[in-house]
Amino acid sequence: METMTLNAAPQWRFSGEQGKANYERALREYPAQAIVDLAALRDNMRHLVEVCGGSGSGTAVMGVVKADAYGHGLIPSALAALAGGATWLGTAQAREALLLRKAGIGLDRCRILTWMYSGPTAPLDELIANDIDVSVGSLDGIELVAAAARATGRTAFIHVKVDSGFGRNGFTEMNFPDAVARLAPLAKEGLVRVVGQWSHLAVADAPDVPEFVAATDQQIENFNAFTELMKQAGIAPQIRHLANTAATLDRPEIRFELTRPGIGLYGYEPDPATGTPDPAMGTPSKYRLRPAMTLQAQLGTVKDVQAGHGISYGRTYLTGERTSTAIVPIGYADGIHRSASGFDVEGAQHVDKPGGPVRVMTVDGPRVLHVSGRVCMDQFVLDLCGSAAELGVHEGDTVMLFGPGRGEAYGEPTADDWARAAGTISYEVFTCLRGRIPRLYLNAREVLSEDDLRLLDPASIL
């Protein structure tokens, strides 16, 4: 007897029969899918460009597509960001910067900046040859970039990273005089061109915490002091960039010539440095940003169990009464955080630790249930808190782990909800999703040109 399956995810709007066939193929290949709306990415970038005053404002906007575009897919996300008005792309790793160029995103379309490398082994010559801007933040780095420029016979376009108070990469006050003293003759020789000066803010995502506002103010003051030293050395930067998503939205005075919104491109607000459960920056809707990714899965085994039945490793969850359970066939090997497990017992003590939320469709409408027991390598379990037969829940039903968050009445979890369950941030929820979960792209034909569509895997287009 054929069983009707329920769908807790949106009714996807396919671009045609091929898009529908691609979707059905993805379901056969793996019991979970990450659906990325390229229109949301484009529109988020358009809004960020507008926030910065538009294309004629003198402030350009970088689409930060590091870490496989925060797990959304490097090439599709980069193309959507460009469609939304980005004129720069940024990747931490050199490999991803080179992949963008090799995909066909040339200098005629955008500048690309990369900043994370180990100098002695980095492909600096390749980066320079592919018109990719390179960050320098150490004296050794300066020498290695200069050597690569000599070897290629081309000028290296560099951005000088300064440590304005973050304590990570970049020159400090102590070694900056040596850096500018070395850069000045290299610039005069034509081996390097000092394009930019940049830094990173530590707590701009907590605008309501007075001591953090003061810390950001101090970082800005330090950043400006570095600029003066560069000017005095005759290597004034052409552009400066300091503003991440939080500062782009909340600190208009430091947008300078370029801003670098990262998480905002993907539709989420920066998470507060305080670690409090309520984001200090507000919600995506407050800033007119729309989450682009939906993570869904198809249920495995659904069965009835008795009261007091242990679920998963360690018996950290015991069913309170006769109920039904359902397997969601993805686990920590897919990037589902084990820390998002749900407990109701620890030792002999009752505890209340809700697991990650999942939207399940029933005959009475959607319900948000939670991971019950420990997340396993390839699966986790949901206590349906009722009879599956009465709820109308069956193996094969599509459930949603997170989506755009269309309001409480809709009952749709977001990546922020999973982050709270796991004790982390939305950034980690996205970037931990493994490649064995297919990425599928909505609205690609609406957002991208025919030439850009050819840069995507045809099987990924819905």
Side-chain angles (χ1 to χ4, degrees), residues 16-52:
E17 287 303 312
Q18 186 57 54
K20 183 178 180 182
N22 289 343
Y23 181 75
E24 291 171 351
R25 184 186 306 111
L27 266 63
R28 288 194 298 273
E29 289 177 353
Y30 209 69
Q33 304 81 38
I35 314 291
V36 178
D37 185 352
L38 294 186
L41 290 176
R42 176 201 60 194
D43 294 346
N44 290 336
M45 179 52 70
R46 277 181 178 170
H47 178 59
L48 291 162
V49 170
E50 289 169 4
V51 164
C52 293

Side-chain angles (χ1 to χ4, degrees), residues 312-313 330-334 336 338 341 373-381:
S312 195
Y313 291 108
I330 52 176
Y332 58 75
D334 299 283
I336 305 303
R338 192 170 183 267
S341 300
R374 286 206 172 106
V375 173
C376 305
M377 185 179 291
D378 298 283
Q379 60 189 288
F380 63 84
V381 185

Side-chain angles (χ1 to χ4, degrees), residues 100-307:
L100 291 170
R101 286 287 190 242
K102 289 173 182 176
I105 301 174
L107 183 61
D108 59 324
R109 294 195 65 179
C110 70
R111 302 285 290 269
I112 297 174
L113 173 66
T114 188
W115 55 86
M116 185 61 60
Y117 56 87
S118 174
T121 56
L124 296 172
D125 52 348
E126 269 192 90
L127 294 170
I128 294 168
N130 280 275
D131 298 306
I132 293 168
D133 292 34
V134 179
S135 172
V136 294
S138 70
L139 295 173
D140 286 346
I142 290 173
E143 297 303 333
L144 289 164
V145 169
R150 283 195 186 93
T152 58
R154 301 183 61 172
T155 299
F157 287 52
I158 66 168
H159 295 235
V160 180
K161 181 72 180 286
V162 297
D163 183 355
S164 58
F166 195 83
R168 206 163 58 176
N169 292 319
F171 295 104
T172 64
E173 291 177 85
M174 290 184 290
N175 61 6
F176 197 60
D178 292 335
V180 293
R182 185 68 187 111
L183 285 169
L186 292 172
K188 187 174 182 180
E189 187 181 345
L191 282 175
V192 303
R193 179 178 299 174
V194 179
V195 174
Q197 175 208 341
W198 72 300
S199 189
H200 200 74
L201 295 170
V203 286
D205 47 7
D208 298 325
V209 181
E211 61 264 37
F212 289 169
V213 173
T216 299
D217 289 340
Q218 184 61 58
Q219 279 200 256
I220 295 168
E221 185 177 329
N222 295 342
F223 186 77
N224 289 331
F226 281 119
T227 304
E228 289 306 311
L229 291 174
M230 292 180 72
K231 288 179 178 178
Q232 292 168 20
I235 51 171
Q238 299 170 29
I239 62 173
R240 301 192 300 159
H241 45 109
L242 179 62
N244 53 12
T245 295
T248 298
L249 296 170
D250 200 56
R251 288 268 188 165
E253 74 278 11
I254 57 168
R255 290 177 187 150
F256 300 133
E257 295 78 35
L258 179 66
T259 68
R260 306 186 313 269
I263 195 69
L265 171 60
Y266 307 97
Y268 279 80
E269 75 281 356
D271 289 83
T274 55
T276 54
D278 297 315
M281 288 296 295
T283 63
S285 59
K286 174 180 176 182
Y287 289 99
R288 293 172 51 198
L289 300 171
R290 182 159 52 101
M293 181 188 285
T294 296
L295 180 62
Q296 64 178 34
Q298 288 72 47
L299 291 181
T301 301
V302 176
K303 66 182 182 183
D304 297 329
V305 298
Q306 298 293 333

